[in-house]
Amino acid sequence: MTRRLLQLFLGLGLYGLSIAMIVRAGLGLDPWDVLTQGVFERFAGPAGISFGMVVNLIGLAVLLLWLPLRQKPGVGTVANVLVIGTVANFGLDWIPSDLALPLRAGLLVAGIVLNGVATGAYVGAGLGPGPRDGLMTGIVARTGWPVKWVRTAIEITVVAVGWLLGGSVGLGTILYAVTIGPLVHVFLPMFTIRKKG
């Protein structure tokens, strides 16, 4: 259990950091944060709600989509809603916003890879997936479709909705959408902690 908890919180922290890295790269947000930015710019920002808080609130809202999939929340689910957006806010305060293009490109690629690693780590801890990944794992469990295709389909859908709300779409968005599924497909089995039978 100690290893599970450490892996869970490390994964969640790294996920929040990866969000900040992709945002600060300024080359296009990952799909969920295109949605976050759209909601932030249109509704939350004027009300004084931070970008990270919007991340957490969207996570809470996505839990409603679990109902038809019969997913059960766990410690990791609750921690996800509380930790990721909070760490993203710290990362946004810490990472400069005026980096040169080569550094921003490196930040984007590193953020995407870190996002895949972080997803594998906190889902693999087996303490309950986050709201967004619970949606992914629930669909995989119900359909038997490969993780990489389900994750990619979700990301493409989310970016479309976010774009309609006014979120920023760019090269980084496309790169994230087409690579995150395969990255999670690789890292999730690597970090999955098997229960002793």
Side-chain angles (χ1 to χ4, degrees):
M1 182 56 72
T2 301
R3 180 190 164 187
R4 288 178 185 272
L5 287 169
L6 287 173
Q7 183 172 310
L8 169 69
F9 283 99
L10 181 60
L12 292 174
L14 292 176
Y15 196 101
L17 179 60
S18 74
I19 288 175
M21 292 167 70
I22 294 168
V23 170
R24 284 293 182 243
L27 297 171
L29 301 176
D30 68 85
W32 281 104
D33 290 321
V34 173
L35 177 62
T36 300
Q37 186 184 47
V39 172
F40 175 77
E41 295 293 338
R42 186 168 289 200
F43 307 110
I49 300 172
S50 70
F51 188 90
M53 180 58 72
V54 176
V55 170
N56 290 343
L57 291 174
I58 287 175
L60 189 60
V62 170
L63 284 175
L64 295 176
L65 298 177
W66 285 30
L67 295 176
L69 298 173
R70 298 177 190 157
Q71 288 284 88
K72 295 180 181 179
V75 173
T77 311
V78 176
N80 183 293
V81 172
L82 299 173
V83 172
I84 289 180
T86 305
V87 174
N89 271 343
F90 283 119
L92 289 170
D93 290 340
W94 176 67
I95 301 170
S97 58
D98 57 350
L99 298 171
L101 181 58
L103 291 175
R104 289 165 49 213
L107 201 58
L108 172 67
V109 172
I112 291 172
V113 173
L114 184 61
N115 194 280
V117 171
T119 300
Y122 78 76
V123 173
L127 294 173
R132 300 157 189 84
D133 294 302
L135 181 63
M136 173 189 71
T137 56
I139 292 171
V140 168
R142 292 287 164 202
T143 64
W145 297 338
V147 170
K148 60 183 176 181
W149 298 121
V150 171
R151 180 65 184 251
T152 301
I154 290 171
E155 302 297 334
I156 290 171
T157 301
V158 169
V159 78
V161 173
W163 179 75
L164 290 173
L165 288 173
S168 298
V169 177
L171 180 61
T173 310
I174 297 167
L175 183 62
Y176 185 97
V178 300
T179 60
I180 194 62
L183 284 168
V184 173
H185 190 73
V186 169
F187 289 116
L188 183 56
M190 289 175 59
F191 289 107
T192 297
I193 300 173
R194 306 291 178 192
K195 293 182 180 177
K196 294 180 180 178

